[in-house]
Amino acid sequence: MGLWRGIVLLLAFMIIGRGEGQLVENFYNSSCPNVESIVQQAVSTKFNQTLITIPATLRLFFHDCFVQGCDASIMIASPNNDAEKDAPDNISLAGDGFDTVVKAKQAVEQACPGKVSCADILAIAARDVVAGGPSFNVELGRRDGLISQASLVTGNLPEPAFNLTQLNTIFAKNNLSQNDMIALSGAHTIGFSHCSRFSYRLYSFSASSPVDPSLNSTYAQQLEAACPQNVDPNTVFDLDPVTPRTFDNVYYQNLVTGMGLLTSDQVLYTDPTSQPTVVDFANNPGDFNGAFAAAMRKLGRVGVKTGNDGEIRIDCTAFNS
């Protein structure tokens, strides 16, 4: 009997050890039953102040989860400017994403002090900013991380010049499939990018062709006009030039016509391995919405800390001690 009990305990421990197995949709049912409506209200208020809230919050969630898992380590502010958010790849994260989480956390703390993690608030907010996009239930129970270092970011985020193999490799490290990667790239249906992230496609693509031949020629001319050489580095261009303020599947329709802003966008169509999925999402918004919702739930499970790992931060921008 003792051996059997030991095996049962071992199996239970193995299941708990998986981390992601412990996230559940109703985690705060008794400790903070209104958490989702509180966060939704805070997100709505912020969204009404500025549209940047949408891409800023989505990008914040993505960048957080890909470095040490979804643990709100991206939120930490360091007096020495050496936290995760200070890494070169994160400097361009818009302040409105951070502010969304901070405001939501303050509202949640008033109702349920010390109960809800910043990591969970960010996960809920990332779902709620996609107004008009796919809705889905968010799994909860994450704890906040205790480490936030700029040095840990390098090599863990996709780069704008990545090809399909490089994209698939970095997503697979986070247990995300090619289909998930293509669906999550659809977040580029809203938001913008700095000229410096794609200007090489206009002026120095290759020795034989300064302009990337996969770029739609009319679109390339628009980009050159908006982003001349030596332009102010803060100049930005919409990732989706057709419906830049709407979360929809037009991003994929743009890829089909050669209007992907970043190399890592356009390659999803030019590479024959991923092209059928892009065509499907371009033609069937329901397929995209379903894949995006499923991929967001999978993204939210990446490297989560649960149980006694980490902490429940009182202030999202600082460790408790």
Side-chain angles (χ1 to χ4, degrees), residues 27-28 63 65-66 80 92 96 98 118 135 150 170 185 191 201 208 249 259 271 273 287 298 301:
F27 187 83
Y28 296 107
H63 281 229
C65 293
F66 263 46
N80 307 318
S92 64
D96 293 296
F98 293 95
C118 300
S135 186
I170 207 161
S185 298
R201 298 185 71 200
S208 58
N249 66 326
M259 289 166 55
D271 193 304
T273 322
D287 288 359
K298 279 179 73 174
R301 297 174 193 143

Side-chain angles (χ1 to χ4, degrees), residues 169-190:
T169 300
I170 207 161
F171 275 75
K173 260 175 43 176
N174 296 290
N175 204 29
L176 294 161
S177 67
Q178 176 175 288
N179 202 65
D180 297 326
M181 180 270 292
I182 298 169
L184 290 169
S185 298
H188 285 178
T189 179
I190 202 154

Side-chain angles (χ1 to χ4, degrees), residues 13-257:
F13 182 75
M14 284 167 67
I15 292 165
I16 288 169
R18 282 178 53 220
E20 70 176 50
Q22 292 169 78
L23 296 184
V24 288
E25 290 171 15
N26 60 356
F27 187 83
Y28 296 107
N29 262 16
S30 55
S31 60
C32 193
N34 297 325
V35 60
E36 292 197 51
S37 58
I38 296 169
V39 173
Q40 188 174 29
Q41 182 57 54
V43 167
S44 179
T45 302
K46 181 70 186 173
F47 170 76
N48 288 331
Q49 291 165 357
T50 172
L51 193 75
I52 295 170
T53 302
I54 304 174
T57 308
L58 279 172
R59 209 164 154 240
L60 190 65
F61 183 54
F62 183 84
H63 281 229
D64 182 46
C65 293
F66 263 46
V67 181
Q68 301 192 88
C70 310
D71 65 352
S73 50
I74 191 80
M75 296 294 300
I76 293 293
S78 161
N80 307 318
N81 296 324
D82 58 359
E84 214 171 284
K85 68 185 287 191
D86 302 308
D89 280 342
N90 285 333
I91 290 288
S92 64
L93 288 170
D96 293 296
F98 293 95
D99 192 51
T100 301
V101 178
V102 167
K103 294 272 173 41
K105 173 65 170 173
Q106 288 168 349
V108 171
E109 280 299 303
Q110 285 189 322
C112 324
K115 298 294 186 191
V116 182
S117 68
C118 300
D120 276 346
I121 288 172
L122 175 52
I124 298 168
R127 185 265 316 268
D128 290 346
V129 290
V130 187
S135 186
F136 54 93
N137 294 334
V138 177
E139 295 168 319
L140 301 166
R142 299 166 191 79
R143 307 260 297 176
D144 296 322
L146 299 171
I147 297 169
S148 180
Q149 293 171 3
S151 58
L152 297 174
V153 176
T154 311
N156 286 313
L157 290 169
E159 298 289 340
F162 270 12
N163 62 31
L164 188 70
T165 303
Q166 291 170 310
L167 287 169
N168 277 334
T169 300
I170 207 161
F171 275 75
K173 260 175 43 176
N174 296 290
N175 204 29
L176 294 161
S177 67
Q178 176 175 288
N179 202 65
D180 297 326
M181 180 270 292
I182 298 169
L184 290 169
S185 298
H188 285 178
T189 179
I190 202 154
F192 50 80
S193 182
H194 292 82
C195 291
S196 59
R197 306 290 275 180
F198 57 84
S199 58
Y200 71 92
R201 298 185 71 200
L202 304 171
Y203 305 111
S204 56
F205 185 72
S206 69
S208 58
S209 173
V211 179
D212 183 342
S214 70
L215 269 175
N216 176 300
S217 57
T218 309
Y219 182 54
Q221 289 169 359
Q222 292 170 353
L223 293 176
E224 286 168 351
C227 295
Q229 284 177 292
N230 305 317
V231 70
D232 177 341
N234 293 318
T235 304
V236 296
F237 199 84
D238 287 324
L239 284 156
D240 171 1
V242 181
T243 58
R245 309 287 172 263
T246 311
F247 196 96
D248 54 25
N249 66 326
V250 173
Y251 163 81
Y252 300 101
Q253 296 170 11
N254 294 339
L255 300 186
V256 173
T257 56

